[in-house]
Each structure stands twice: as C-alpha cells, then as structure tokens.
Amino acid sequence: MQETRQNRIARLLQKELSLIFQSQTRAMHGVMVSVTRCRISPDLSICTAYLSIFPSEKADELIQNITANEKTIRYELGTRVRNQLRIIPELRFFVDDSLDYIAHIDELLKK
C-alpha cells in the first residue's frame, strides 16, 4: 500500500517539476531539461529527481544553477501541489546520463 502511494506522489512531482523546468528554460534557447525519473523516500520527505539535459555539455553548469535555486523551485512546486500534499518534500537533483551512455555503447558497437 505504501509503495503505491510513493509511486503516485513521485509521478505527480515528476509531472509538476517537468512543467516548472519547461517554463523556466523557455527563455534559454537551445537548452532542454526533462525530468526522467523521480524517487521519493518512504516518509515522503525527500524527493530525488533525475534530470536529462540537452546539450549535455551544459549539464554541470545547469545542475549547479538548479541546486543553487533549489528553494525557489521547491516554493514553486509547493504552490502547484499544495492541495494534494501536506508537506512539500526536500528536493535533490542529479544528472541522468543514461542517454549519453546509450549513445556511447551504440558508437562502440558500430566500430
């Protein structure tokens, strides 16, 4: 039962975070940030979000910028989901480099 609730809340947070990043990155031309996966702790206090950033050369710079603005992102998330959640979880962001890994493996297989 608890795991089902975690999955539902993680999907809700993933959807809302993706909408937040979509609205914020519209001003930055040539940069796309997508939330590939969200995981939430069993006590619903910590949300770990994995971000896929295109182009990948700007990934480190954008992750540093996102973690610096973590409180404003959490506030924006809180205004969006305040009717569904009692406590807004603490956010942690990581780069999801699985697409780069797949491209690298594909390149090696072509050789």
Side-chain angles (χ1 to χ4, degrees), residues 74-99:
R74 184 177 178 199
Y75 175 78
E76 178 73 25
L77 181 67
T79 58
R80 290 174 178 254
V81 298
R82 68 173 167 231
N83 295 328
Q84 287 102 353
L85 296 177
R86 184 180 302 159
I87 297 172
I88 307 304
E90 176 185 334
L91 299 174
R92 295 183 181 164
F93 297 103
F94 295 101
V95 176
D96 184 16
D97 57 353
S98 60
L99 292 176

Side-chain angles (χ1 to χ4, degrees), residues 15-52:
K15 179 183 164 219
E16 294 298 331
L17 282 173
S18 67
L19 292 174
I20 290 170
F21 287 129
Q22 183 181 20
S23 66
Q24 287 182 354
T25 57
R26 271 199 188 122
M28 299 170 51
H29 297 289
V31 175
M32 187 172 64
V33 177
S34 60
V35 183
T36 56
R37 185 175 31 171
C38 277
R39 294 209 174 146
I40 193 149
S41 63
D43 62 349
L44 307 177
S45 65
I46 299 172
C47 175
T48 306
Y50 294 92
L51 307 175
S52 178

